[in-house]
Amino acid sequence: MSEILAGLNQQQREAVTATEGFIRVIAGAGSGKTRALAHRFAYLVNEIGIMPGNILCVTFTNKSANEMKQRIRLLTGDNDTGYISTFHSFCVSVLQEDINAVQYPKSFLVLDNSDIDTMLKVIYEERGLTLRHMTFARARDMIEIRKVFKEPEYYEAMIELPLDKLHQKYLDAVETEDIIFYGYLYQEKKCFGLDYNDLIKFVLYIFSVDEKIRRKWQQRLEYIMIDEYQDIDELQYRLMKVLCAWHKNLFIVGDPDQTIYTWRGASVRYLLDFDKEFPNVRTIMMMHNYRSTPQILAAANSLIDKNRQRIKKDLTATLPGGVPVVYHHARTGKEEAEWIAARIKELSGRGVALGDMAILYRAHYVSRTLEEVFLKEDLPYRIYSGVQFFGRMEIKDALSYLRLIVYKDDLSFQRIVNVPKRSIGDRRMRFLQEYAQQNQCSLYEALQRTIENEIFKNTRATRFLALIERWAAGYHNMPISELLSAVLDQSGYEAMLRTEGSQERLDNLAELKQSVYEYETTCGEEATLEHYLSHVALLTNTDAASGSNAVRMMTVHAAKGLEFPYVFICGLEEGVFPSRKTTTLEGMEEERRLAFVAFTRAERGLFLTDAEGRNLDGSYRYPSRFIFNVDRHLLEYTRELDDSLIAETKWKIRGSENSLAALSGVLAFQVGDRVVHSIMGAGMVEEVDRDHACYLIKFDHLDTRRSISFKARLAAETNHG
């Protein structure tokens, strides 16, 4: 046996040595798929003698590509690793060689978001647009949607139209969307720039019009391998299909249970239907998990088994038995965070490094309570792919408003006097700083004293002062939570974020409001604004990330591809995880896949937590359906749930599932069906009102019909007639 095959299990060896034809590897979490890919590349090069430059290996991130290159160099002893890259990086390689086919220079630009924003600024200035017409974030999204979905042939205008004709198309545009879209295409062509969407489109176009170039690349790439195939989108699929058409050697690896990027255009169908699209497909199942204990895998298998859109499979553990998966239902969010902190201290006391523990959550705002408790308990932590809660821009801005109301300090003033924009820019700030220095007063006082000066004409400085003064006069008699809501509303701060389309920042502000509300209920009458600001100052001034030995906190999306000895998944509540934004059955399946990804990050210990209580809007918190999706005997409950809570939660979940089914076009009942209501008795469905998500039912004992929600408990009548 060659060294390359040594140490591989039967399924991995089968994948590595299956070199010819269309091969689909279904690789479960922790089954060693990256290892199999690297060894297959090395097998092709070292054992068969294929030149590395004739192999394309596609990964989904540059980080993955670099890791793959390192692995392959170690296996082959050769620095030549062929084409190991993302789809977009590979397209850049093609265009650097062949973009002359569309009269673009080989020195074309690959545009990033800052480049795009620079182009948008030019367009907005030329055509008198403002952020009220459309924010840059929305404009970028709009451009992408038009390029990918609404006008997929847009690239023909970029390639075929002369620059002056494209410019005229931009000048003739009247609607805001058209102005921005055609202005952007013109700006792109003028500087020979291509964004990410253009890269694949241009390559596909060149391949379609120039057979010689297409054939060159098809013949060059004798073997094509694609990792994370469950995450490919339509354009990537089309490109891959063209490239493999000559040698017909395509090797794909993926796991349909880890499709978590449908919002970016990914479709699990490309993986599930691979054998329908290509001839004589050989499917290899890699189900031996080398990462997690049998207990963790059993819980993960039980969870994902509730999805319908998948290939039926179960991961098999290779590790010896460990400890049960623990579920803790907390009375409050604070108690949930304290329980997690206590478990981490226990593990740390047993010799587990803090860096071997990770806390995963659905969205960044969930970290707030955790951070407060960890700071109080002096537990070091690091937030990945995010900023510590009280260090986030919008949180610091909101707190600066509150601080300015009380203390009128310079730091707070400088931070928020022009946020949102009030035309108090650098020139006017220099004026205030000079006045304050000469008169030994604060910047706020300087503004008060000079407000009538000509320099503040045509600014919103007067309104700003009036707001601060009004709040300063009345804050003693207001709950802090009410004051904060008024500040964020009346200052225009929340409106600014809505205009920018910053939903994550708005979510963080909602969480800040929740934290203030909790602080008030904890402190009672002692909850003064001064006390609260002192409390927060202690949190913001603490160094939370002391060195590398710190607990890691991150979203589940950020944790994809990572693994940790001990994992805590918190915030497992309906409306949090699964997200309240889930509106379809397909979306709920994706949320469950996301939970599956979270479960399978754990190697030795897995802890699931949620908290009851009420949200700021008064709604009640219920445990996530994903807790109930796991067979009861597979979880160790720290306390039994009340029967009433279980019944309420299951009723809420059932209602949610009925609504999702209805919104997805799948209704339990149709017009003419006889149904039985648990209270109203038997009746007939006379109409279905999808707009209001209800059935119009004529019950046998009533003279008029009733509108009954899709969420209601209805059963088919079995004994009628």
Side-chain angles (χ1 to χ4, degrees), residues 295 364 575 596 618 639 664 672 707 713:
Q295 290 86 345
H364 276 304
F596 174 79
R639 65 158 66 102
S664 302
S707 302
R713 299 185 204 183

Side-chain angles (χ1 to χ4, degrees), residues 657-706:
E657 287 172 347
N658 289 343
S659 292
L660 290 176
L663 290 166
S664 302
V666 182
L667 286 172
F669 303 103
Q670 305 298 327
V671 173
D673 286 349
R674 294 282 304 177
V675 296
V676 178
H677 189 286
S678 58
I679 296 170
M680 306 294 283
M684 180 180 286
V685 178
E686 292 191 344
E687 196 177 327
V688 177
D689 185 347
R690 290 185 183 272
D691 291 337
H692 296 96
C694 66
Y695 300 105
L696 276 74
I697 300 174
K698 171 64 175 65
F699 290 103
D700 296 349
H701 71 287
L702 296 176
D703 295 332
T704 56
R705 60 189 192 178
R706 298 289 185 269

